[in-house]
Amino acid sequence: MSTAPDTIVLIHGLWVTPRSWEHWIEHYEKRGYRVIAPAYPGFEVEVEALNADPSPIEAVTIPGIVSHLKSVIAELDRPPILMGHSAGGVFTQILLDHGVGAVGVAINSAPTEGVTVLPASQVKSTFPVLKNPANRHRAVAFTHDQWHYAFTNTFSEEESRQLYARYAIPGPGQIVWAGVLANFQPGHQAAWVDYANDNRAPLLFVAGGEDHLMPPAVQHSNAKHYTSNTVTEVKEYAGRCHLLPAQPGWEEVADYALDWAVRHARTSD
């Protein structure tokens, strides 16, 4: 009996909700896959509700999100294809390291522990959260101008404002701070993965060439940290910003990611 994946799990990033995958869900369903886009704990309500009251997401943690995603995937009858965007790329890497999933794709991924490259555009993009240590205990929203720089820099201002209204929510500051502080604290922290894990399923990094928030240098550095004998590749797309899943031409990226995943997925045929 084939155990080839029949389900794709789409894992969203911070400052957005599963709504950010709306085009990809329909696209992959048309290709015959069951598609699940689980929300993090507290992110289950719509964008408008979280903008009105972000308190449900203030205390969410990396271990809490990973545990929730594991519980969702445990309900499936075979290992799925995992695809994560931004912070979702970190969770994809952690899940693969923990033996969850048949294959993974990390799109404009945030860095896992130990990745210290820090491009200037990333510093500028995350400054609204990192400028104040008190933000560790609250959800922090980007203004439209901050969102335009970090997420939608390849779009016109009018297009960016439409995307801001459609997708943007505050992001839990403690997860951003946890990612930064992890490289300065002793021992393994929440975003740690075993880069030498030979049992990890194959992993593809997709890098947007114009991504300000998680630039290509972050993707290449993250990939180079992996020393295991398992497949790890990077595919870079010129002219793509951080909100790549909503950028015109996203279908090319989605199809490449799925085709790569199908070719490399672990099965027991």
Side-chain angles (χ1 to χ4, degrees):
M1 175 180 175
S2 171
T3 59
D6 62 355
T7 302
I8 302 170
V9 178
L10 299 175
I11 306 171
H12 65 89
L14 307 180
W15 290 289
V16 295
T17 71
R19 183 188 287 180
S20 61
W21 291 117
E22 57 186 339
H23 304 304
W24 291 50
I25 293 172
E26 181 181 3
H27 187 73
Y28 284 152
E29 287 178 340
K30 288 180 178 177
R31 290 191 56 171
Y33 286 87
R34 175 173 50 178
V35 185
I36 300 172
Y40 304 160
F43 285 68
E44 298 90 350
V45 298
E46 290 294 351
V47 166
E48 293 76 11
L50 282 174
N51 278 311
D53 177 16
S55 60
I57 65 175
E58 290 176 343
V60 69
T61 65
I62 294 174
I65 293 171
V66 171
S67 177
H68 175 67
L69 293 173
K70 283 182 175 178
S71 70
V72 171
I73 295 169
E75 298 295 321
L76 304 176
D77 60 7
R78 67 183 73 173
I81 295 169
L82 306 180
M83 293 190 187
H85 172 239
S86 197
V90 172
F91 303 132
T92 296
Q93 294 181 63
I94 295 173
L95 290 169
L96 292 180
D97 185 42
H98 292 187
V100 178
V103 65
V105 179
I107 302 168
N108 288 342
S109 180
T112 44
E113 186 177 329
V115 178
T116 56
V117 62
L118 193 61
S121 70
Q122 188 180 39
V123 174
K124 180 176 179 178
S125 296
T126 54
F127 184 72
V129 180
L130 299 178
K131 67 180 180 181
N132 186 350
N135 286 340
R136 293 178 65 180
H137 307 292
R138 56 195 176 203
V140 182
F142 284 143
T143 65
H144 171 259
D145 286 348
Q146 293 165 343
W147 164 271
H148 196 183
Y149 181 82
F151 274 74
T152 55
N153 50 297
T154 60
F155 289 82
S156 69
E157 179 169 347
E158 180 181 359
E159 293 168 333
S160 178
R161 287 190 180 279
Q162 292 173 352
L163 293 167
Y164 184 73
R166 179 68 183 161
Y167 296 125
I169 63 166
Q174 68 165 309
I175 291 183
V176 181
W177 273 92
V180 172
L181 296 176
N183 292 325
F184 302 97
Q185 296 174 309
H188 299 318
Q189 305 300 311
W192 179 80
V193 298
D194 180 1
Y195 294 114
N197 180 5
D198 290 334
N199 294 318
R200 172 183 59 80
L203 171 62
L204 172 68
F205 286 89
V206 172
E210 299 299 323
D211 185 351
H212 282 170
L213 183 56
M214 299 297 166
V218 175
Q219 312 310 312
H220 289 285
S221 178
N222 201 152
K224 288 178 180 176
H225 275 66
Y226 283 98
T227 58
S228 66
N229 60 14
T230 305
V231 174
T232 306
E233 295 182 4
V234 181
K235 174 72 171 178
E236 184 171 334
Y237 285 88
R240 308 299 174 113
C241 64
H242 190 66
L243 198 62
L244 184 152
Q247 185 168 345
W250 60 265
E251 297 93 336
E252 177 189 3
V253 182
D255 286 338
Y256 181 90
L258 179 55
D259 292 343
W260 188 96
V262 169
R263 288 198 308 274
H264 292 87
R266 290 185 170 175
T267 70
S268 59
D269 284 341

